[in-house]
């Protein structure tokens, strides 16, 4: 598996990328393009292609046959370009306004030509700066409800569902999540990354048998539950925003997995941002307001998600059991429990695992950073272990508030 | 989907089947073969090929591009021949003595050449006759533990597991189970089949909201939980036996599903046989002895399954969580709950759904048949609704005994 390039694959350059966009007839004159590589170079090339005369632009994203993380390099399947492109197209069937438009896919070159979103900022960055996005909850709720419902057994015919499962089998990217989200942070593993001063808290976590038993169940769910086509990496770095626009990007981790996983990752990254504002918002009043805004985003996202999903359930449900009294309630009850559990895993792995978040890591004051990371570990553990008792979305926001201010 | 024949496919006849076996060099003289079609002709042709001079024999099983049930005919994928053949080969890696040996597979003709088991009888038939099979529990426990463990995430690498999921996607056969096991019997559906005198009991079942809510969860598990390569149709008609040999046949329903499904189907069919002996064993002492034997098979199968699965877990487990204290207990706890739930669904569908069992249907006395079918409905409902309280295998046997003798 992995790493083997397709026949005819070659890494694009700022010179050769024009060959990809020329046939699309998007630009007036492909000899007058300004092309810059703007990716971080770890997994993909991202070319920003602009035609100054017309103001037109495009993004060309190409998968590289390897991944580079902290100096290490390992082979990684180019098939993820196909997965990402197909997942964006699937999402566009239901929420075209909430994903970048895909203009073209070249499987040989493992690249996708898509809408340029340079006028947007990465949500994580905006939230660190204390920006409020009034449409965020509504948009993410819509994205989640529409994409998850329409790719699940609740909507698809049994035969279509299985064909979709087959098309989105994504073993290598799933393995990254299995390892980095669900396993390594809970054991003394070399990929972990945390300040030495956090050692005793981390060891307490590694020695918490109840936590590990519960995390084992969540990992097993991630491994086995083919419920819907999930985005698979829905943190605040995979969301582009403006004041009134939201775009979900980068679904290269998409696969058939638990519906709760996407929701949980989103909530976890809001919770991490919440903690980080003890530093980023020095003014207590301003801080309180912004932190409460973040909890409102969580509560509103859940409420609107539930509302929309429920409406789809009632109007477009294909399974006769969906009309049986109580079945829908049972579904949402278990969904919230799973969501909170997955959120707990994400909070922990972003704190001590391989891939951190700028929210906490950008905190210059070492002691504050440490204190907040310690709180993050507590929060993650509580969410995983007490998820069955947190039966309302307000229990989640109360838990975040409570742990943060303890 | 479905029904489209492969290029080059043609139904075999007793004349043409020799072309399939000739290249195998199994027989001394392929011009001296005796060939009989012995299948029931509903889904497959089954040719029994014998060479009287040498006493050698083979079975040639060919999938037909349609299914015939109660006069109706609908197209059905020939891919099930590939699935069956590959599932038998997978099982043979771990339990070669417990499946028929596959000599040859012809994908074009959707046919499999395999070991002749004419010296065996169908377990269902043997049990109806009150035959005791001392090795049955041990063999089925071994079959279940070995095939389910070795195809699960507990043993396979994450990448291998996903490739196996892909290879065994089996939408059309799964749909049959989704409809006939999990859906139709719980609603007033035209495929259902029960005596008019059972109408009020059946209507009570259809109106039991708690039962339907719980069955909805079990159906959802069948639809979404890709835990291991399950046989998918492990009733007592899929098992061939002699006094000391057991062979599991016909895995054309194989797919990645819940581990508990196979175990539950097996237990359910033993429970139905238990009920049927109120008729088949008129002598009370003999009846009691045989009924208790059936419960011992259930208890011993579970105990030995657990023992072997646990040994594999401890010695060959590939996931680091498998060594965390309590994780294995959690797994078996949930497995028993699911097993009992799936058993309940099977008991109900075999009583009022499309496909009945000879155990009950062969009862000549109408009133007895009716009384036992009524008990079967009660048993199935109790198993589904109370599965979370039935936390030991003896609770299952006590429930069967209790409902039967109530």
């Amino acid at each position: 598996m992995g790493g083997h390039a397709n026949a005819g694959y070659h890494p694009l350059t700022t010179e050769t990328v024009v060959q990809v966009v020329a046939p699309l007839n998007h630009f007036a004159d492909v000899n007058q393009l300004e092309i810059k590589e703007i990716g971080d170079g770890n997994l993909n090339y991202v070319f920003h292609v602009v035609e100054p005369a017309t103001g037109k632009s495009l993004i060309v994203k190409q998968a590289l046959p390897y991944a580079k993380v902290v100096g290490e390099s390992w082979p990684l399947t180019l098939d993820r370009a196909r997965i990402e492109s197909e997942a964006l197209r699937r999402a566009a069937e239901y929420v075209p306004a909430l994903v970048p438009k895909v203009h073209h896919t070249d499987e040989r070159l493992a690249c996708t030509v898509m809408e340029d979103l340079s006028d947007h900022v990465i949500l994580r960055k905006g939230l660190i700066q204390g920006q409020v996005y009034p449409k965020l909850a509504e948009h993410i709720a819509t994205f989640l409800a529409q994409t998850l419902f329409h790719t699940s057994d609740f909507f698809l015919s049994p035969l279509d569902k299985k064909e979709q499962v087959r098309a989105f089998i994504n073993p290598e990217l799933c393995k990254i999540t299995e390892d980095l989200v669900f396993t390594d942070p809970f054991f003394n593993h070399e990929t972990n990354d945390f300040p030495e001063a956090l050692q005793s808290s981390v060891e307490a976590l590694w020695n918490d048998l109840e936590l590990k038993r519960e995390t084992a169940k969540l990992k097993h769910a991630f491994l086995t539950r083919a419920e819907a086509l999930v985005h698979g990496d829905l943190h605040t770095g995979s969301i582009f925003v403006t004041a009134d626009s939201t775009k979900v990007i980068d679904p290269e981790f998409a696969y058939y997995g638990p519906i709760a996983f996407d929701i949980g990752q989103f909530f976890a990254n809001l919770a991490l941002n919440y903690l980080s504002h003890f530093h980023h918002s020095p003014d207590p009043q301003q801080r309180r307001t912004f932190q409460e805004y973040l909890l409102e985003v969580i509560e509103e996202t859940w409420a609107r998600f539930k509302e929309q999903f429920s409406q789809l359930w009632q109007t477009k449900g294909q399974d006769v059991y969906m009309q049986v009294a109580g079945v829908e309630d049972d579904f949402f009850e278990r969904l919230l429990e799973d969501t909170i559990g997955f959120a707990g895993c994400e909070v922990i792995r972003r704190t001590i695992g391989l891939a951190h978040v700028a929210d906490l890591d950008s905190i210059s004051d070492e002691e504050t950073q440490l204190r907040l990371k310690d709180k993050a570990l507590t929060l993650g553990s509580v969410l995983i272990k007490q998820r069955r008792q947190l039966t309302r979305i307000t229990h989640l926001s109360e838990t975040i508030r409570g742990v943060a201010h303890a």
Side-chain angles (χ1 to χ4, degrees), chain A residues 330-376:
Chain A
D330 291 343
F331 168 75
F332 283 118
E333 192 183 306
R334 207 203 61 181
L335 186 66
L336 184 58
E337 177 190 318
D338 294 345
T339 294
I340 292 173
F342 288 131
C345 297
E346 174 76 357
V347 165
I348 287 172
R349 76 97 167 201
R350 291 294 189 183
T351 306
I352 58 172
L354 179 69
H356 288 201
V357 289
D359 313 57
L360 292 177
D361 274 25
S362 68
I363 295 173
S364 47
D365 181 69
E366 235 175 87
E367 209 170 310
T368 306
Q369 190 185 111
L370 202 68
R371 185 172 55 86
L372 296 173
K373 288 188 168 176
D374 211 23
K375 280 182 192 295

Side-chain angles (χ1 to χ4, degrees), chain A residues 134-156:
Chain A
K135 299 284 186 73
L136 177 64
E138 183 190 330
H139 286 163
I140 296 298
T142 301
F143 176 83
L144 291 168
Q146 297 289 332
T147 60
L148 295 170
F149 180 85
H150 284 109
T151 58
S152 75
D153 286 293
F154 300 126
F155 173 70
L156 293 178

Side-chain angles (χ1 to χ4, degrees), chain A residues 93-123:
Chain A
E93 290 176 40
Y94 303 105
V95 285
L98 301 178
V99 285
K101 184 172 163 47
V102 173
H103 291 277
H104 176 67
T105 306
D106 187 322
E107 283 212 22
R108 189 176 54 95
L109 290 172
C111 85
T112 305
V113 183
M114 63 184 119
E115 184 183 358
D116 175 24
L117 299 171
S118 306
D119 56 332
H120 289 60
V121 298
I122 293 172
L123 175 59

Side-chain angles (χ1 to χ4, degrees), chain A residues 316-335:
Chain A
K316 298 172 85 173
Q318 74 86 30
D319 190 319
V320 64
Y321 278 106
M322 294 170 74
Q323 302 307 323
V324 172
V327 169
E328 193 186 342
D329 292 343
D330 291 343
F331 168 75
F332 283 118
E333 192 183 306
R334 207 203 61 181
L335 186 66

Side-chain angles (χ1 to χ4, degrees), chain A residues 250-293:
Chain A
D250 287 354
E252 57 195 340
F253 283 79
Y255 85 114
Y256 263 77
I259 289 178
F261 187 70
D262 281 352
I263 318 175
Q265 277 203 316
F266 179 61
F267 288 174
N269 281 271
L270 295 176
L272 289 163
N273 186 263
Y274 182 108
L275 289 173
S276 77
H277 277 276
F278 286 107
H279 171 84
H280 299 305
S281 297
D283 174 67
Q285 177 55 43
Q286 208 176 10
R287 176 196 311 154
R288 203 163 17 248
T289 306
F290 192 75
Q291 287 180 327
E292 285 306 305
Y293 159 70

Side-chain angles (χ1 to χ4, degrees), chain A residues 117-123 131-136 139 239-247:
Chain A
L117 299 171
S118 306
D119 56 332
H120 289 60
V121 298
I122 293 172
L123 175 59
Q131 290 292 323
V132 164
Y133 299 98
K135 299 284 186 73
L136 177 64
H139 286 163
I239 299 169
F240 267 6
V241 282
T242 67
D244 49 18
S245 167
T246 307
K247 303 277 184 186

